[in-house]
Amino acid sequence: MSLLPVDDAIAAILKRVPAPIAETVPLAEAAGRVLLEPVVATHDQPPFNSSAMDGYAIRAADIVDGHRLPVVGTSQAGAGFAGTLGPGEAVRIFTGAPVPEGADTVIMQEEATVEGSFVSFTAPARRGHSVRPLGNDFATGQHLVDAGVRLAPMQLAVAAAANAATLNVAKRPRIALLATGDELVLPGSPLGPDQIVASNSFGLRPMLAPYSETVADHGIARDNPALLRRALDDVFAAEPDILITTGGASVGDHDIVQDILLELGVTLDFWKINMRPGKPLMFGTRGKTLIFGLPGNPVSAMVTAMVFIRPALRAWLGYPEPAPWRLPLAGPTPPNTARRHFMRAQLLHTPAGPALLPISQTDSGHTSSLARADMLIVQPEFDPGQPPGTIVRAIPLDAF
C-alpha cells in the first residue's frame, strides 16, 4: 500500500465523522461544551433604565449652581422608587437600581453635598450620565453566543444573564483506549530487562478528555492473538464511538493489531501516511465505531493524535478547525525528505514578537523533546530547509 498524503487522510477521516448531535444540559454543566444552537435573548438587559453609580437620580434641567433639591425617596436594587420624580426633586439611588420615572440623570454621591433632607451638587449635570438604558447590554431577540462556540466562563455568564437555564450543546463521543505490546508495563512497576514503561495512554487520555463524554482506558493487551482478540471483543462490547489502539500497527512479525481488527469485522480505510513521525497509522470503521490504530512509539502516537484525531473530534462537536498558526523561525530548519515532517519547536517570545525555535531531535521515541515543545512546525515534503525569519505553518500542542 502506498503512503497516503496527510491532507487526503484527514479528508477521508472527516467523511466518516457523523454530524453533531444536540443534547440539552443544565447551564451549570455546560462549561467547555460546544454550543449547537445559539443563545438568544428573551428579554432586554437591563430590563429597565438602571443606575451605573451610587448617587442621586435627578432631572438634569433642575440642576443650578448652589440650588438644593429635596430627597423624596430611595431606589435600590430589588426595591425601586415607587413614584414618579417630580420637577425639582431628587431620589437617593444605588448601583443597579431602577432609575425613577421622570429622572434622566444620575449624579454620583462623591459630587453631592447632603444637608438634612436636601442635596446639592458640586458638578454640573450631564443629561443621561450614569444611566444604563433599557436594553443597553442586550435586547430581546439578539444573538448573544453563536453556535459552534466552546463555552467559556464569559459565554456562560451572558447565557445566565439571558435567563437560559439550559443550553443545547454537541453530544460528545465515548472513546476507548487500548495499548498493545509484550514489552509494556504500567508506570510505577519494576522494569524487567526487556520492558519499557507504557506512556501513550497517559498522554492521550488528557488530550482527548475535553472532547469526550468518557475516555475508557482498557489497559495493555499482549502480543498474543487470542489475548488481543479477547481484549478487543471486550472493547467492542462496550460500543464506543471511537477506539484508539497504540502499537502493533507496523509491519513486524509481532504487529498483529491490524490482522485481529480485520478478523473482527473492521473495514480498513487506509494504512500508512506520508509523514514523520507517525507513518504506520491505521484508520477504519466497525459499525458506528471509528477506529484509529496509532503507532507505538510515543512521539508518533501523540503527533498522529494531534494531526488526525483532534480534527475529527472537533468536527464531531461542530467546532470549526482553526487556521494554522504562521510564525517566523527563530532558527533554521534542515532539508526535509519526501514525507511531511511535523517538527517539534519551542515558542519563543522575542523583542520582535513570537517566533519558533526548531528542536533538532527527530527520534519518534524521544518523549523529553516533545515535552519541551510548544508547537509542531509543518514542514512540507521535499522542503529544502529554511533560514531564520521565514514564516512557517505550525500547530499548537495544547489548544482545544
Side-chain angles (χ1 to χ4, degrees), residues 50-283:
S50 71
S51 177
M53 294 281 183
D54 290 348
Y56 293 86
I58 51 88
R59 298 171 186 262
D62 291 340
I63 303 305
V64 179
D65 287 346
H67 184 66
R68 299 191 305 164
L69 303 180
V71 179
V72 297
T74 299
S75 182
Q76 60 191 49
F81 179 70
T84 297
L85 186 74
E89 295 178 340
V91 166
R92 179 75 165 112
I93 196 166
F94 296 92
T95 303
V99 175
E101 186 178 348
D104 58 26
T105 303
V106 172
I107 298 181
M108 63 181 180
Q109 62 188 17
E110 291 82 358
E111 296 174 343
T113 302
V114 178
E115 301 175 61
S117 61
F118 290 84
V119 64
S120 59
F121 302 99
T122 60
R126 291 171 286 168
R127 183 181 175 86
H129 190 66
S130 296
V131 175
R132 294 172 177 149
L134 170 98
N136 178 62
D137 188 352
F138 53 78
T140 302
Q142 184 177 337
H143 281 218
L144 302 177
V145 188
D146 292 330
V149 170
R150 186 174 183 237
L151 294 163
M154 297 306 103
Q155 288 80 42
L156 293 172
V158 77
N163 205 23
T166 61
L167 295 174
N168 290 322
V169 298
K171 186 173 177 58
R172 296 174 296 183
R174 294 176 301 110
I175 299 176
L177 296 176
L178 180 67
T180 68
D182 286 341
E183 75 280 12
L184 300 178
V185 296
L186 290 173
S189 304
L191 284 175
D194 302 313
Q195 294 179 316
I196 61 173
V197 179
S199 62
N200 288 335
S201 295
F202 294 91
L204 290 171
R205 187 169 187 171
M207 180 196 297
L208 305 173
Y211 305 90
S212 63
E213 180 180 320
T214 58
V215 181
D217 188 348
H218 290 264
I220 301 169
R222 300 305 170 190
D223 293 326
N224 174 286
L227 295 177
L228 178 57
R229 187 178 295 106
R230 187 181 310 157
L232 286 168
D233 275 334
D234 290 343
V235 173
F236 286 131
E239 298 184 338
D241 297 300
I242 297 171
L243 165 61
I244 300 168
T245 66
T246 56
S250 192
V251 293
D253 293 338
H254 298 285
D255 296 322
I256 59 174
V257 173
Q258 182 180 145
D259 292 339
I260 302 301
L261 287 172
L262 292 172
E263 289 177 15
L264 293 175
V266 172
T267 299
L268 194 64
D269 283 18
F270 60 77
W271 170 50
K272 293 186 179 180
I273 308 297
N274 191 40
M275 65 180 290
R276 62 186 180 107
K279 179 181 74 172
L281 171 78
M282 294 185 295
F283 174 73

